[in-house]
Amino acid sequence: MAQTSKTPSLNPTFKPPLAQGLTVQGSALMFLAVGASAAVWVALLLPVGANFIFFLLLALLLFLPIPLLIYRLYALLSARYTVEREGLRLRWGLRGEDLPLAEIEWVRMAADLAFDLPRPRFIWPGAMLGTRRVRELGMVEYMASGAENLTLIATPGRVYAISPSDARGFLTAVRKANELGSLLPFTAHSTQPAMFLRRVWRDRLARWLILSGLLLNMVLFVLVGLMVPERQQFSFGFDPSGIPLPPGPPQMLMLFPILAIVVFIFDLFTGLFFYRSEAQRPAARLLFTSMFITPLLLIIALAFIR
């Protein structure tokens, strides 16, 4: 449903359909998280060998898509199309587009076209994203959750395909904005995820912390890989009197790099989220620092394992 009240809104904002995308992507996220956790648990119960390595690799493969799904869910929940007197503002995650009213040539439903509109090559429920070159329209960029209520916005550079839940209401709002006319047209502005990542990369401190954290994670993984075959058992701590705890199987050491990698990925994506705002940059840099400190502390902890 469009996020508008019964009384006319000055700048009505419309959301894409959420139910199917949240259900499918949320279910996939839970399945991968449970599967990765189960694979790690099984690996830790096995002796070091081929099966142990297989389940660790399986856990890694199941974990890799999780950050992408988390971002897709965030992008879907934050997606919005705002109609202003000066133009349209389209938002989808880190992707943003401000279209002055004077640059909009026409807006219409995709169903009203005389031909079938090609879809992006890689889509799933809640994420119809990407670009396609269409012979009749030129470059078409999709910022939609699905084919339902697909609406096209034509500009001189490209056509944008969006999916407001209340497509007719969106078209009405655009028509009213055209009738009122623009008093203070804003400047066209485009925000791309790649541009944002380049801005982060130009931050010397952030770049150093991210690369150092990645390097320390690799060192931790190598050290653990060298230690596991050497001994049959390890003691992983001390009791209150300073006596080493009963030894455990060496594969438990793999918890160290697994923990470090999980923290690295979580801090990286959370830090990037906070980095978008100038006021939240200190929080982002603190999370980037955690990416460096966590594997460093775990490497130091290896020296005390007996």
Side-chain angles (χ1 to χ4, degrees), residues 24 59 149 248 255 275:
V24 173
N149 295 335
L255 286 175
Y275 197 92

Side-chain angles (χ1 to χ4, degrees), residues 39 52-63:
F52 172 75
I53 295 174
F54 169 77
F55 278 100
L56 278 183
L57 290 176
L58 177 61
L60 179 61
L61 290 174
L62 291 174
F63 183 78

Side-chain angles (χ1 to χ4, degrees), residues 199-230:
R199 189 165 69 248
V200 176
W201 190 252
R202 287 195 295 266
D203 185 327
R204 183 176 299 179
L205 176 59
R207 183 173 71 246
W208 186 88
L209 290 171
I210 292 171
L211 291 177
S212 299
L214 181 61
L215 177 62
L216 287 176
N217 272 278
M218 295 172 63
V219 170
L220 176 63
F221 186 84
V222 171
L223 290 176
V224 170
L226 293 174
M227 291 178 66
V228 167
E230 285 186 349

Side-chain angles (χ1 to χ4, degrees), residues 271-291:
L272 291 175
F273 175 82
F274 285 118
Y275 197 92
R276 300 175 308 156
S277 169
E278 187 70 35
Q280 295 177 332
R281 295 280 169 86
R285 292 190 177 98
L286 183 62
L287 288 164
F288 294 154
T289 303
S290 173
M291 295 162 53

Side-chain angles (χ1 to χ4, degrees), residues 254-306:
M254 294 304 300
L255 286 175
F256 280 39
I258 291 172
L259 173 62
I261 291 171
V262 170
V263 170
F264 180 89
I265 294 176
F266 175 82
D267 286 347
L268 176 61
F269 280 86
T270 308
L272 291 175
F273 175 82
F274 285 118
Y275 197 92
R276 300 175 308 156
S277 169
E278 187 70 35
Q280 295 177 332
R281 295 280 169 86
R285 292 190 177 98
L286 183 62
L287 288 164
F288 294 154
T289 303
S290 173
M291 295 162 53
F292 168 79
I293 291 178
T294 300
L296 178 62
L297 292 177
L298 291 173
I299 289 172
I300 294 173
L302 289 177
F304 295 92
I305 293 177
R306 298 289 184 265

Side-chain angles (χ1 to χ4, degrees), residues 48-238:
V48 177
N51 290 334
F52 172 75
I53 295 174
F54 169 77
F55 278 100
L56 278 183
L57 290 176
L58 177 61
L60 179 61
L61 290 174
L62 291 174
F63 183 78
L64 285 177
I66 288 179
L68 175 62
L69 279 173
I70 292 175
Y71 172 74
R72 292 295 195 195
L73 283 170
Y74 156 73
L76 178 60
L77 288 170
S78 65
R80 62 191 185 277
Y81 318 116
T82 304
V83 181
E84 299 183 8
R85 186 169 179 175
E86 291 74 26
L88 305 181
R89 299 186 189 272
L90 313 179
R91 297 291 183 270
W92 196 283
L94 297 177
R95 180 74 175 97
E97 199 72 37
D98 294 342
L99 306 175
L101 205 59
E103 294 188 8
I104 298 174
E105 298 175 346
W106 50 262
V107 181
R108 68 183 62 165
M109 299 285 293
D112 295 337
L113 297 175
F115 57 90
D116 292 331
L117 187 67
R119 306 293 190 253
R121 290 179 175 82
F122 303 105
I123 63 174
W124 62 79
M128 181 180 281
L129 308 171
T131 58
R132 285 293 301 269
R133 182 165 293 280
V134 181
R135 181 166 56 87
E136 295 86 351
L137 299 174
M139 186 63 71
V140 178
E141 179 177 354
Y142 289 80
M143 300 171 65
S145 62
E148 181 184 358
N149 295 335
L150 204 60
T151 305
L152 303 179
I153 304 168
T155 68
R158 64 178 54 192
V159 175
Y160 297 91
I162 64 174
S163 60
S165 294
D166 182 7
R168 296 299 176 186
F170 178 81
L171 292 174
T172 300
V174 173
R175 188 182 68 250
K176 289 182 178 178
N178 270 309
E179 291 172 352
L180 290 172
S182 177
L183 295 176
L184 298 171
F186 52 64
T187 303
H189 181 72
S190 180
T191 303
Q192 299 277 357
M195 295 169 58
F196 167 73
L197 293 177
R198 282 197 294 270
R199 189 165 69 248
V200 176
W201 190 252
R202 287 195 295 266
D203 185 327
R204 183 176 299 179
L205 176 59
R207 183 173 71 246
W208 186 88
L209 290 171
I210 292 171
L211 291 177
S212 299
L214 181 61
L215 177 62
L216 287 176
N217 272 278
M218 295 172 63
V219 170
L220 176 63
F221 186 84
V222 171
L223 290 176
V224 170
L226 293 174
M227 291 178 66
V228 167
E230 285 186 349
R231 303 183 189 178
Q232 295 298 317
Q233 291 182 320
F234 287 91
S235 178
F236 291 90
F238 302 88

